[in-house]
Amino acid sequence: MILPGHTLGMLGGGQLGRMFTVAARTLGYHVVVLDPDSGSPAGRMADDHLHAAYGDAWALDEMIARCDAVSTEFENIPADTLRTLARHLPVRPGAAALEQAQNRIREKRMIRRAGLQTAPFEVVERPEQAEAAFSAVGAPAILKRAAMGYDGKGQVPVDSAKACAEAFAALGGVPCVLERRVDLEREISVVLARGSDGRCLCYPVAENIHRGGILHMSIVPARVPETTARAACEAATTLAGALDYCGVMAVEFFITASGELLVNEMAPRPHNSGHYTLDACVTSQFEQQVRALCGLPFGDVRLLTPVVMVNLLGDLWADGDPDWGRLLSHPAAKLHLYGKEQARPGRKMGHFCVLDPDLAAAVEAAEDLFNRLAA
């Protein structure tokens, strides 16, 4: 075990790295953040911020010399960086797991190999494959870049073979996945922690509502049958085992109108839909990330109260700072701002949670508070 007083490294300096850093420092660890952004939100909270590219040899030498273990806050860290560090100290999760999540083609094939179901899909890597792929998948469909797409970016809805070919060209002719748009009843996600010994704990299932491809609201516990929640946890655990994963990860699911449970994608890190754990669980997903990294026993994942989490995007800052007094007037609202210097439309600037023993009341209050901020 790596005990408090030692130094942990974080690759990535956004809000997920920031919340990891806060959890680690609360437990008594030192934290060094490596991120190329001089205004890194995580870097501001850490003991030290190495302002350098992820492949910078000097920066990696510093991490090796100063850190006892390293984790990541997003999946697009170069795999070679992780392999370099892993030759000298524990890196959790490892390069192999991140590589699966860095490419939708690899990811979906890996999910299928694990015996889990996805929406029907076909790979489009060349223009001449577009027509056959669309014929196999059918309409309605959505073409997604295989790499570097998130929060709805790099995705184009298509309804014909011609539209598919045009979308492929518009996305730059890079490898893509053409995926059938299922008749969606609900979206849910599971955040879990898995140790190096294979022990796995799942947090309560979140029900997710998106706007414009970006998560807007998570409702916990998810309003789904217990059998569905259990099946999602079992599927997420299976996926983590197939990856021999160590750390915190999230798995997103579609529930179709006919009741099918389909894996949408995985995230090898703490997840936006798990932010509710900061206020409503015995142990947050970020403290759990510290525990997994350091080989500590896992904390309790029990939900203490129903909760609703709402994202705060940069759109709310269009006319200056939102009126936080409206939000903080609610005694059970918990505000989390990420310390980002510049607000932009669609950029995640913070979130808030509303806690209430009555889930319906929590949903109503969260919607009302958000509408007041947006007014």
Side-chain angles (χ1 to χ4, degrees), residues 94-294:
L98 263 70
E99 281 184 313
Q100 295 299 316
Q102 288 173 350
N103 183 285
R104 283 193 170 94
I105 298 171
R106 289 197 297 265
E107 180 184 44
K108 289 185 179 297
R109 287 172 174 170
M110 178 271 299
I111 292 168
R112 292 274 185 91
R113 286 197 304 271
L116 304 174
Q117 295 300 308
T118 68
F121 74 91
E122 291 290 330
V123 174
V124 182
E125 295 177 301
R126 300 184 304 278
E128 60 269 23
Q129 294 177 316
E131 183 174 349
F134 185 83
S135 297
V137 169
I142 185 164
L143 189 70
K144 301 179 180 181
R145 289 172 59 109
M148 301 302 291
Y150 64 96
D151 285 346
K153 298 179 177 67
Q155 303 183 15
V156 181
V158 297
D159 58 6
S160 68
K162 180 183 177 183
C164 184
E166 292 172 346
F168 181 71
L171 291 174
V174 298
C176 291
V177 169
L178 182 69
E179 182 179 301
R180 178 69 182 266
R181 299 181 72 178
V182 299
D183 188 3
L184 190 63
E185 193 273 330
R186 208 172 295 264
E187 294 182 67
I188 61 174
S189 59
V190 175
V191 173
L192 62 81
R194 187 176 188 272
S196 57
D197 60 357
R199 183 176 184 235
C200 201
L201 287 179
C202 290
Y203 283 94
V205 177
E207 174 186 344
N208 301 318
I209 297 170
H210 293 78
R211 290 183 179 177
I214 302 174
L215 179 64
H216 169 61
M217 176 183 290
S218 292
I219 300 167
V220 187
R223 296 169 297 187
V224 298
E226 179 57 33
T227 52
T228 301
R230 188 163 53 248
C233 289
E234 290 172 355
T237 300
T238 295
L239 197 55
L243 289 166
D244 193 22
Y245 193 83
C246 182
V248 171
M249 69 177 282
V251 183
E252 298 180 66
F253 297 89
F254 295 141
I255 301 176
T256 70
S258 61
E260 286 184 289
L261 183 68
L262 306 176
V263 178
N264 176 26
E265 59 187 20
M266 57 160 282
R269 52 174 170 76
H271 194 256
N272 194 171
S273 68
H275 289 348
Y276 75 88
T277 64
L278 285 162
D279 298 310
C281 289
V282 176
T283 308
S284 78
Q285 63 172 341
F286 300 101
E287 179 181 334
Q288 208 77 294
Q289 185 183 14
V290 175
R291 288 172 173 267
L293 177 61
C294 296

Side-chain angles (χ1 to χ4, degrees), residues 279 306-310 312 324-336 351-356 362 365-370 373:
D279 298 310
V307 58
V308 175
M309 187 282 302
V310 179
L312 300 171
W324 300 123
R326 293 183 176 184
L327 176 66
L328 296 174
S329 65
H330 191 295
K334 301 291 187 179
L335 176 64
H336 299 261
H351 71 269
F352 70 86
C353 290
V354 176
L355 287 63
D356 197 300
E367 290 175 337
D368 179 64
L369 288 169
F370 178 80
L373 289 177

